[in-house]
Amino acid sequence: MSLLTVGTVAFDDIETPLGKAENVVGGAATYISLAAAHFVQPIQIVSVIGDDFPQETLDLMTSKGINLEGLQVKQGEKSFFWSGRYHDDLNTRDTLITDLNVLATFDPVLPDTYKKTDFVMLGNLTPAVQMRVIEQMEERPKLIALDTMNFWIESALDSLKEVISKIDLLIINDEETRQLTGEYSLVKAAKMIHEMGPRFIAIKKGEHGALLFYDNDVFFAPALPLAEVYDPTGAGDTFAGGLMGYLAGTGDLSFENMKRAIIYGSAMASFCVEAFSIDRLKTLAANDIRTRVQRFVDLVRFDAELHI
Ligand code: AMP
């Protein structure tokens, strides 16, 4: 199996209560692919950068089995840039700057080798670009997942709803769920999103874990309680990358396997927040992931013998 992902490959300026990082590597597709590469190969990226993006990061991605054939490089132009400041609770942040740069005119072109991929992760970027990727697939993928952000809910709601109608799994945070549906209850909001198209909905709740909705079933995955969170940037994308990488690697779309995938996604996100930018993902080994997933299992395991 393989996994195709589209999303930003970017530079970020980040400010959190524990520090600042300027002009560091970020972007949805960067985090997604680095997380997913632990579970499935190859990962196929569709994205765009300027000629300012570090070759060292591209080499790192290639070394992890990430295929960059669908990554366009625009000479003389600048990569997507985002800057954000986190509040003390680390679950909320303000976007200070979004400079689309190369993304403003991006027309994704899928190499022929990408067009029959079974698993597609439409990472956060312009909804019209996410749609163009679906349109170029020669066969309907087994599973199409999509992540988005308040920026697109505010600026491109109609085209976002159109692409949501074509997908199987929506990955979205609690605040964006409420913004998208106008409904405060996440249970009612998930029902409304089911009616828009997706069979599965994964709602991320930051340090409070994630919920997976499927028909009338719901599953909860905790987040690992961590003493220090350095930088939550990319945690959502890393969650999506771990989840989709695990699904593509196993090829199993049963609800039971989706539950495992949500736990793998949560485990990957717990690494991401331990350092700024992609730093923790660069050095992650398979054994770190196994140990971390076991901590999740231990975190929620309890004896359910009832005494009443
Ligand atoms: P996350 O923290 O998972 O929401 O992802 C943060 C990453 O998304 C950062 O590395 C940014 O470069 C990227 N990003 C921020 N805003 C946008 C946007 N409007 N569209 C696409 N990617 C974005």
Side-chain angles (χ1 to χ4, degrees), residues 7-12 14 25-28 31 80-82 86 93 95 98 100 103 124-126 147-152 173 176 204 232-238:
T8 41
V9 173
F11 285 119
D12 295 337
I14 301 156
V25 166
Y31 285 105
F80 178 88
F81 173 78
W82 176 80
Y86 289 84
R93 68 185 178 199
T95 288
T98 301
L100 295 179
L103 193 64
N124 187 17
L125 89 182
T126 327
D147 186 13
T148 190
M149 195 170 158
N150 51 2
F151 184 86
W152 304 111
N173 77 27
E176 293 152 356
K204 301 169 284 181
T233 308
D237 305 310
T238 306

mmCIF file of all heavy atoms in Angstrom, residues 7-12 14 25-28 31 80-82 86 93 95 98 100 103 124-126 147-152 173 176 204 232-238, ligand 1:
data_model
loop_
_atom_site.group_PDB
_atom_site.id
_atom_site.type_symbol
_atom_site.label_atom_id
_atom_site.label_comp_id
_atom_site.label_asym_id
_atom_site.label_seq_id
_atom_site.Cartn_x
_atom_site.Cartn_y
_atom_site.Cartn_z
ATOM 1 N N GLY A 7 -0.598 19.035 0.974
ATOM 2 C CA GLY A 7 -0.641 19.973 2.104
ATOM 3 C C GLY A 7 0.510 20.942 1.960
ATOM 4 O O GLY A 7 1.319 20.827 1.045
ATOM 5 N N THR A 8 0.580 21.891 2.890
ATOM 6 C CA THR A 8 1.659 22.867 2.803
ATOM 7 C C THR A 8 3.000 22.261 3.213
ATOM 8 O O THR A 8 3.080 21.353 4.024
ATOM 9 C CB THR A 8 1.356 24.075 3.723
ATOM 10 O OG1 THR A 8 0.816 23.586 4.959
ATOM 11 C CG2 THR A 8 0.353 25.012 3.102
ATOM 12 N N VAL A 9 4.052 22.798 2.603
ATOM 13 C CA VAL A 9 5.442 22.549 3.021
ATOM 14 C C VAL A 9 5.970 23.971 3.224
ATOM 15 O O VAL A 9 6.012 24.747 2.266
ATOM 16 C CB VAL A 9 6.223 21.769 1.947
ATOM 17 C CG1 VAL A 9 7.698 21.673 2.298
ATOM 18 C CG2 VAL A 9 5.626 20.374 1.765
ATOM 19 N N ALA A 10 6.319 24.318 4.454
ATOM 20 C CA ALA A 10 6.313 25.745 4.791
ATOM 21 C C ALA A 10 7.411 26.161 5.757
ATOM 22 O O ALA A 10 8.153 25.336 6.275
ATOM 23 C CB ALA A 10 4.956 26.048 5.427
ATOM 24 N N PHE A 11 7.421 27.491 6.007
ATOM 25 C CA PHE A 11 8.211 28.057 7.105
ATOM 26 C C PHE A 11 7.255 28.619 8.147
ATOM 27 O O PHE A 11 6.211 29.187 7.791
ATOM 28 C CB PHE A 11 9.074 29.226 6.607
ATOM 29 C CG PHE A 11 10.259 28.794 5.802
ATOM 30 C CD1 PHE A 11 10.399 29.196 4.481
ATOM 31 C CD2 PHE A 11 11.247 28.000 6.366
ATOM 32 C CE1 PHE A 11 11.495 28.805 3.732
ATOM 33 C CE2 PHE A 11 12.352 27.615 5.624
ATOM 34 C CZ PHE A 11 12.471 28.007 4.299
ATOM 35 N N ASP A 12 7.630 28.483 9.415
ATOM 36 C CA ASP A 12 6.808 29.002 10.512
ATOM 37 C C ASP A 12 7.637 29.860 11.455
ATOM 38 O O ASP A 12 8.821 29.578 11.679
ATOM 39 C CB ASP A 12 6.263 27.848 11.376
ATOM 40 C CG ASP A 12 5.304 26.934 10.625
ATOM 41 O OD1 ASP A 12 4.708 27.366 9.631
ATOM 42 O OD2 ASP A 12 5.146 25.778 11.072
ATOM 43 N N ILE A 14 7.090 30.686 15.453
ATOM 44 C CA ILE A 14 6.234 30.153 16.516
ATOM 45 C C ILE A 14 6.628 30.742 17.852
ATOM 46 O O ILE A 14 7.807 30.856 18.172
ATOM 47 C CB ILE A 14 6.409 28.616 16.602
ATOM 48 C CG1 ILE A 14 6.040 27.967 15.271
ATOM 49 C CG2 ILE A 14 5.559 28.034 17.722
ATOM 50 C CD1 ILE A 14 6.709 26.629 15.078
ATOM 51 N N VAL A 25 11.161 25.017 9.805
ATOM 52 C CA VAL A 25 10.391 24.207 8.843
ATOM 53 C C VAL A 25 9.069 23.782 9.473
ATOM 54 O O VAL A 25 9.010 23.383 10.637
ATOM 55 C CB VAL A 25 11.222 22.970 8.432
ATOM 56 C CG1 VAL A 25 10.347 21.957 7.717
ATOM 57 C CG2 VAL A 25 12.398 23.394 7.572
ATOM 58 N N GLY A 26 8.001 23.904 8.683
ATOM 59 C CA GLY A 26 6.670 23.476 9.113
ATOM 60 C C GLY A 26 5.869 23.046 7.903
ATOM 61 O O GLY A 26 6.437 22.694 6.862
ATOM 62 N N GLY A 27 4.562 23.133 8.036
ATOM 63 C CA GLY A 27 3.685 22.766 6.927
ATOM 64 C C GLY A 27 3.000 21.438 7.188
ATOM 65 O O GLY A 27 3.603 20.506 7.705
ATOM 66 N N ALA A 28 1.731 21.385 6.783
ATOM 67 C CA ALA A 28 0.923 20.193 7.055
ATOM 68 C C ALA A 28 1.520 18.933 6.419
ATOM 69 O O ALA A 28 1.663 17.900 7.070
ATOM 70 C CB ALA A 28 -0.498 20.426 6.539
ATOM 71 N N TYR A 31 4.698 17.522 8.251
ATOM 72 C CA TYR A 31 4.417 16.740 9.464
ATOM 73 C C TYR A 31 3.719 15.419 9.123
ATOM 74 O O TYR A 31 4.058 14.370 9.674
ATOM 75 C CB TYR A 31 3.533 17.548 10.425
ATOM 76 C CG TYR A 31 4.263 18.652 11.159
ATOM 77 C CD1 TYR A 31 4.094 19.985 10.817
ATOM 78 C CD2 TYR A 31 5.116 18.352 12.212
ATOM 79 C CE1 TYR A 31 4.745 21.005 11.509
ATOM 80 C CE2 TYR A 31 5.779 19.359 12.913
ATOM 81 C CZ TYR A 31 5.583 20.674 12.549
ATOM 82 O OH TYR A 31 6.242 21.678 13.236
ATOM 83 N N PHE A 80 5.268 29.057 1.429
ATOM 84 C CA PHE A 80 4.183 29.427 2.352
ATOM 85 C C PHE A 80 4.786 29.768 3.716
ATOM 86 O O PHE A 80 5.716 29.098 4.179
ATOM 87 C CB PHE A 80 3.228 28.231 2.472
ATOM 88 C CG PHE A 80 2.079 28.439 3.432
ATOM 89 C CD1 PHE A 80 0.890 29.019 3.011
ATOM 90 C CD2 PHE A 80 2.183 28.031 4.759
ATOM 91 C CE1 PHE A 80 -0.163 29.200 3.895
ATOM 92 C CE2 PHE A 80 1.129 28.213 5.657
ATOM 93 C CZ PHE A 80 -0.049 28.791 5.221
ATOM 94 N N PHE A 81 4.250 30.832 4.347
ATOM 95 C CA PHE A 81 4.761 31.229 5.666
ATOM 96 C C PHE A 81 3.599 31.439 6.625
ATOM 97 O O PHE A 81 2.592 32.065 6.280
ATOM 98 C CB PHE A 81 5.568 32.525 5.545
ATOM 99 C CG PHE A 81 5.978 33.092 6.879
ATOM 100 C CD1 PHE A 81 7.051 32.554 7.586
ATOM 101 C CD2 PHE A 81 5.276 34.156 7.450
ATOM 102 C CE1 PHE A 81 7.411 33.060 8.831
ATOM 103 C CE2 PHE A 81 5.641 34.665 8.691
ATOM 104 C CZ PHE A 81 6.708 34.114 9.379
ATOM 105 N N TRP A 82 3.746 30.883 7.817
ATOM 106 C CA TRP A 82 2.718 31.043 8.862
ATOM 107 C C TRP A 82 3.381 31.418 10.176
ATOM 108 O O TRP A 82 4.478 30.931 10.473
ATOM 109 C CB TRP A 82 1.942 29.732 9.021
ATOM 110 C CG TRP A 82 0.934 29.751 10.134
ATOM 111 C CD1 TRP A 82 -0.322 30.297 10.098
ATOM 112 C CD2 TRP A 82 1.076 29.187 11.445
ATOM 113 N NE1 TRP A 82 -0.945 30.115 11.301
ATOM 114 C CE2 TRP A 82 -0.110 29.441 12.158
ATOM 115 C CE3 TRP A 82 2.105 28.508 12.095
ATOM 116 C CZ2 TRP A 82 -0.318 29.027 13.466
ATOM 117 C CZ3 TRP A 82 1.913 28.094 13.413
ATOM 118 C CH2 TRP A 82 0.711 28.342 14.086
ATOM 119 N N TYR A 86 0.925 30.867 20.791
ATOM 120 C CA TYR A 86 0.072 30.015 21.636
ATOM 121 C C TYR A 86 -0.253 30.707 22.943
ATOM 122 O O TYR A 86 0.564 31.438 23.499
ATOM 123 C CB TYR A 86 0.778 28.675 21.914
ATOM 124 C CG TYR A 86 0.804 27.831 20.661
ATOM 125 C CD1 TYR A 86 1.787 28.010 19.699
ATOM 126 C CD2 TYR A 86 -0.199 26.900 20.419
ATOM 127 C CE1 TYR A 86 1.790 27.280 18.521
ATOM 128 C CE2 TYR A 86 -0.206 26.152 19.244
ATOM 129 C CZ TYR A 86 0.786 26.354 18.312
ATOM 130 O OH TYR A 86 0.772 25.632 17.144
ATOM 131 N N ARG A 93 -4.497 29.166 20.068
ATOM 132 C CA ARG A 93 -3.414 30.006 19.523
ATOM 133 C C ARG A 93 -4.015 31.079 18.640
ATOM 134 O O ARG A 93 -5.155 30.956 18.166
ATOM 135 C CB ARG A 93 -2.447 29.143 18.706
ATOM 136 C CG ARG A 93 -3.063 28.606 17.422
ATOM 137 C CD ARG A 93 -2.134 27.647 16.689
ATOM 138 N NE ARG A 93 -2.773 27.111 15.499
ATOM 139 C CZ ARG A 93 -2.376 26.017 14.869
ATOM 140 N NH1 ARG A 93 -1.345 25.333 15.313
ATOM 141 N NH2 ARG A 93 -2.990 25.603 13.790
ATOM 142 N N THR A 95 -3.343 33.099 15.086
ATOM 143 C CA THR A 95 -2.531 33.196 13.877
ATOM 144 C C THR A 95 -2.162 34.657 13.707
ATOM 145 O O THR A 95 -3.021 35.533 13.725
ATOM 146 C CB THR A 95 -3.327 32.689 12.659
ATOM 147 O OG1 THR A 95 -3.441 31.269 12.758
ATOM 148 C CG2 THR A 95 -2.642 33.041 11.345
ATOM 149 N N THR A 98 -0.448 34.837 7.849
ATOM 150 C CA THR A 98 -0.503 33.737 6.877
ATOM 151 C C THR A 98 -0.119 34.343 5.528
ATOM 152 O O THR A 98 -0.881 35.123 4.969
ATOM 153 C CB THR A 98 -1.921 33.122 6.775
ATOM 154 O OG1 THR A 98 -2.316 32.627 8.053
ATOM 155 C CG2 THR A 98 -1.967 31.976 5.767
ATOM 156 N N LEU A 100 0.462 33.366 1.856
ATOM 157 C CA LEU A 100 0.268 32.214 0.953
ATOM 158 C C LEU A 100 1.476 32.036 0.026
ATOM 159 O O LEU A 100 1.853 30.915 -0.306
ATOM 160 C CB LEU A 100 -0.998 32.392 0.123
ATOM 161 C CG LEU A 100 -2.316 32.405 0.913
ATOM 162 C CD1 LEU A 100 -3.492 32.610 -0.039
ATOM 163 C CD2 LEU A 100 -2.520 31.123 1.709
ATOM 164 N N LEU A 103 1.636 29.353 -2.614
ATOM 165 C CA LEU A 103 0.358 28.623 -2.559
ATOM 166 C C LEU A 103 -0.753 29.368 -3.305
ATOM 167 O O LEU A 103 -1.715 28.756 -3.780
ATOM 168 C CB LEU A 103 -0.041 28.412 -1.091
ATOM 169 C CG LEU A 103 -1.174 27.428 -0.821
ATOM 170 C CD1 LEU A 103 -0.774 26.020 -1.256
ATOM 171 C CD2 LEU A 103 -1.549 27.426 0.655
ATOM 172 N N ASN A 124 -4.099 20.112 5.276
ATOM 173 C CA ASN A 124 -4.566 21.478 5.330
ATOM 174 C C ASN A 124 -3.951 22.353 4.230
ATOM 175 O O ASN A 124 -2.748 22.584 4.218
ATOM 176 C CB ASN A 124 -4.147 21.975 6.724
ATOM 177 C CG ASN A 124 -4.672 23.316 7.052
ATOM 178 O OD1 ASN A 124 -5.603 23.801 6.420
ATOM 179 N ND2 ASN A 124 -4.068 23.929 8.052
ATOM 180 N N LEU A 125 -4.784 22.794 3.309
ATOM 181 C CA LEU A 125 -4.446 23.855 2.347
ATOM 182 C C LEU A 125 -5.707 24.225 1.584
ATOM 183 O O LEU A 125 -6.795 23.766 1.968
ATOM 184 C CB LEU A 125 -3.240 23.492 1.448
ATOM 185 C CG LEU A 125 -3.316 22.766 0.113
ATOM 186 C CD1 LEU A 125 -1.948 22.540 -0.457
ATOM 187 C CD2 LEU A 125 -4.140 21.553 0.139
ATOM 188 N N THR A 126 -5.602 25.027 0.548
ATOM 189 C CA THR A 126 -6.765 25.533 -0.173
ATOM 190 C C THR A 126 -7.731 24.401 -0.567
ATOM 191 O O THR A 126 -7.317 23.462 -1.260
ATOM 192 C CB THR A 126 -6.286 26.216 -1.477
ATOM 193 O OG1 THR A 126 -5.026 26.809 -1.229
ATOM 194 C CG2 THR A 126 -7.272 27.230 -1.982
ATOM 195 N N ASP A 147 -8.095 17.178 6.295
ATOM 196 C CA ASP A 147 -7.917 18.046 7.459
ATOM 197 C C ASP A 147 -8.058 19.482 6.957
ATOM 198 O O ASP A 147 -7.759 19.772 5.800
ATOM 199 C CB ASP A 147 -6.509 17.829 8.043
ATOM 200 C CG ASP A 147 -6.300 18.586 9.355
ATOM 201 O OD1 ASP A 147 -7.284 19.063 9.944
ATOM 202 O OD2 ASP A 147 -5.138 18.692 9.778
ATOM 203 N N THR A 148 -8.558 20.365 7.809
ATOM 204 C CA THR A 148 -8.672 21.757 7.404
ATOM 205 C C THR A 148 -8.433 22.654 8.616
ATOM 206 O O THR A 148 -8.019 22.179 9.665
ATOM 207 C CB THR A 148 -10.030 22.033 6.735
ATOM 208 O OG1 THR A 148 -9.992 23.326 6.148
ATOM 209 C CG2 THR A 148 -11.199 21.930 7.711
ATOM 210 N N MET A 149 -8.701 23.925 8.460
ATOM 211 C CA MET A 149 -8.348 24.872 9.516
ATOM 212 C C MET A 149 -9.293 26.070 9.467
ATOM 213 O O MET A 149 -9.890 26.344 8.413
ATOM 214 C CB MET A 149 -6.910 25.319 9.226
ATOM 215 C CG MET A 149 -6.232 25.992 10.349
ATOM 216 S SD MET A 149 -4.483 26.154 9.905
ATOM 217 C CE MET A 149 -4.065 27.498 10.983
ATOM 218 N N ASN A 150 -9.395 26.805 10.592
ATOM 219 C CA ASN A 150 -10.288 27.973 10.654
ATOM 220 C C ASN A 150 -10.089 28.935 9.474
ATOM 221 O O ASN A 150 -11.056 29.464 8.933
ATOM 222 C CB ASN A 150 -10.129 28.709 11.997
ATOM 223 C CG ASN A 150 -8.682 29.023 12.338
ATOM 224 O OD1 ASN A 150 -7.762 28.724 11.565
ATOM 225 N ND2 ASN A 150 -8.462 29.612 13.491
ATOM 226 N N PHE A 151 -8.837 29.107 9.042
ATOM 227 C CA PHE A 151 -8.543 30.019 7.931
ATOM 228 C C PHE A 151 -9.397 29.685 6.698
ATOM 229 O O PHE A 151 -9.953 30.576 6.055
ATOM 230 C CB PHE A 151 -7.048 29.902 7.579
ATOM 231 C CG PHE A 151 -6.586 30.861 6.512
ATOM 232 C CD1 PHE A 151 -6.197 32.145 6.852
ATOM 233 C CD2 PHE A 151 -6.526 30.475 5.181
ATOM 234 C CE1 PHE A 151 -5.751 33.027 5.873
ATOM 235 C CE2 PHE A 151 -6.081 31.355 4.199
ATOM 236 C CZ PHE A 151 -5.696 32.637 4.548
ATOM 237 N N TRP A 152 -9.536 28.401 6.375
ATOM 238 C CA TRP A 152 -10.280 27.986 5.173
ATOM 239 C C TRP A 152 -11.778 27.959 5.442
ATOM 240 O O TRP A 152 -12.574 28.194 4.533
ATOM 241 C CB TRP A 152 -9.781 26.626 4.658
ATOM 242 C CG TRP A 152 -8.305 26.659 4.399
ATOM 243 C CD1 TRP A 152 -7.338 26.004 5.089
ATOM 244 C CD2 TRP A 152 -7.627 27.440 3.398
ATOM 245 N NE1 TRP A 152 -6.092 26.314 4.596
ATOM 246 C CE2 TRP A 152 -6.240 27.196 3.562
ATOM 247 C CE3 TRP A 152 -8.042 28.323 2.394
ATOM 248 C CZ2 TRP A 152 -5.278 27.794 2.751
ATOM 249 C CZ3 TRP A 152 -7.083 28.923 1.591
ATOM 250 C CH2 TRP A 152 -5.723 28.660 1.769
ATOM 251 N N ASN A 173 -10.330 19.809 14.466
ATOM 252 C CA ASN A 173 -10.304 20.001 15.920
ATOM 253 C C ASN A 173 -11.665 20.471 16.434
ATOM 254 O O ASN A 173 -12.565 20.793 15.655
ATOM 255 C CB ASN A 173 -9.110 20.861 16.365
ATOM 256 C CG ASN A 173 -9.300 22.345 16.105
ATOM 257 O OD1 ASN A 173 -10.418 22.852 16.051
ATOM 258 N ND2 ASN A 173 -8.200 23.050 15.945
ATOM 259 N N GLU A 176 -12.816 24.030 15.369
ATOM 260 C CA GLU A 176 -13.180 24.088 13.944
ATOM 261 C C GLU A 176 -14.486 23.330 13.683
ATOM 262 O O GLU A 176 -15.269 23.718 12.811
ATOM 263 C CB GLU A 176 -12.068 23.476 13.095
ATOM 264 C CG GLU A 176 -10.778 24.286 13.103
ATOM 265 C CD GLU A 176 -9.514 23.457 12.875
ATOM 266 O OE1 GLU A 176 -9.607 22.207 12.769
ATOM 267 O OE2 GLU A 176 -8.432 24.045 12.839
ATOM 268 N N LYS A 204 -10.177 16.267 17.089
ATOM 269 C CA LYS A 204 -8.993 16.434 17.953
ATOM 270 C C LYS A 204 -9.323 17.453 19.039
ATOM 271 O O LYS A 204 -9.869 18.511 18.743
ATOM 272 C CB LYS A 204 -7.816 16.964 17.120
ATOM 273 C CG LYS A 204 -7.431 16.055 15.961
ATOM 274 C CD LYS A 204 -6.462 16.747 15.014
ATOM 275 C CE LYS A 204 -7.152 17.757 14.120
ATOM 276 N NZ LYS A 204 -6.272 18.435 13.169
ATOM 277 N N PRO A 232 3.087 22.954 20.236
ATOM 278 C CA PRO A 232 2.003 22.129 19.695
ATOM 279 C C PRO A 232 1.879 22.202 18.165
ATOM 280 O O PRO A 232 1.083 21.470 17.582
ATOM 281 C CB PRO A 232 0.733 22.705 20.329
ATOM 282 C CG PRO A 232 1.197 23.686 21.346
ATOM 283 C CD PRO A 232 2.576 24.127 20.956
ATOM 284 N N THR A 233 2.642 23.067 17.508
ATOM 285 C CA THR A 233 2.508 23.216 16.056
ATOM 286 C C THR A 233 2.736 21.878 15.363
ATOM 287 O O THR A 233 3.731 21.201 15.624
ATOM 288 C CB THR A 233 3.531 24.234 15.504
ATOM 289 O OG1 THR A 233 3.417 25.419 16.258
ATOM 290 C CG2 THR A 233 3.293 24.521 14.030
ATOM 291 N N GLY A 234 1.807 21.543 14.484
ATOM 292 C CA GLY A 234 1.955 20.312 13.707
ATOM 293 C C GLY A 234 1.428 19.078 14.419
ATOM 294 O O GLY A 234 1.392 17.993 13.827
ATOM 295 N N ALA A 235 0.970 19.245 15.679
ATOM 296 C CA ALA A 235 0.471 18.059 16.397
ATOM 297 C C ALA A 235 -0.725 17.449 15.656
ATOM 298 O O ALA A 235 -0.835 16.226 15.528
ATOM 299 C CB ALA A 235 0.090 18.425 17.826
ATOM 300 N N GLY A 236 -1.600 18.329 15.144
ATOM 301 C CA GLY A 236 -2.780 17.836 14.422
ATOM 302 C C GLY A 236 -2.386 17.095 13.149
ATOM 303 O O GLY A 236 -2.955 16.052 12.808
ATOM 304 N N ASP A 237 -1.399 17.628 12.455
ATOM 305 C CA ASP A 237 -0.947 16.989 11.207
ATOM 306 C C ASP A 237 -0.208 15.688 11.499
ATOM 307 O O ASP A 237 -0.325 14.708 10.768
ATOM 308 C CB ASP A 237 -0.015 17.935 10.431
ATOM 309 C CG ASP A 237 -0.672 19.266 10.174
ATOM 310 O OD1 ASP A 237 -1.808 19.271 9.696
ATOM 311 O OD2 ASP A 237 -0.051 20.299 10.471
ATOM 312 N N THR A 238 0.556 15.699 12.574
ATOM 313 C CA THR A 238 1.296 14.487 12.954
ATOM 314 C C THR A 238 0.315 13.395 13.377
ATOM 315 O O THR A 238 0.498 12.212 13.055
ATOM 316 C CB THR A 238 2.277 14.820 14.100
ATOM 317 O OG1 THR A 238 3.082 15.921 13.665
ATOM 318 C CG2 THR A 238 3.174 13.660 14.424
HETATM 319 P P1 AMP B 1 -1.340 22.208 13.068
HETATM 320 O O1 AMP B 1 -0.649 22.740 14.292
HETATM 321 O O2 AMP B 1 -1.413 20.721 13.025
HETATM 322 O O3 AMP B 1 -2.647 22.892 12.802
HETATM 323 O O4 AMP B 1 -0.409 22.588 11.816
HETATM 324 C C1 AMP B 1 0.390 23.706 11.789
HETATM 325 C C2 AMP B 1 1.081 23.764 10.435
HETATM 326 O O5 AMP B 1 0.132 24.129 9.441
HETATM 327 C C3 AMP B 1 2.156 24.817 10.424
HETATM 328 O O6 AMP B 1 3.429 24.195 10.262
HETATM 329 C C4 AMP B 1 1.816 25.761 9.267
HETATM 330 O O7 AMP B 1 2.860 25.960 8.351
HETATM 331 C C5 AMP B 1 0.648 25.112 8.572
HETATM 332 N N1 AMP B 1 -0.446 26.066 8.307
HETATM 333 C C6 AMP B 1 -0.810 27.122 9.068
HETATM 334 N N2 AMP B 1 -1.868 27.763 8.522
HETATM 335 C C7 AMP B 1 -2.192 27.109 7.389
HETATM 336 C C8 AMP B 1 -3.180 27.262 6.380
HETATM 337 N N3 AMP B 1 -4.066 28.272 6.410
HETATM 338 N N4 AMP B 1 -3.220 26.362 5.364
HETATM 339 C C9 AMP B 1 -2.326 25.352 5.324
HETATM 340 N N5 AMP B 1 -1.360 25.128 6.223
HETATM 341 C C10 AMP B 1 -1.285 25.994 7.263
#
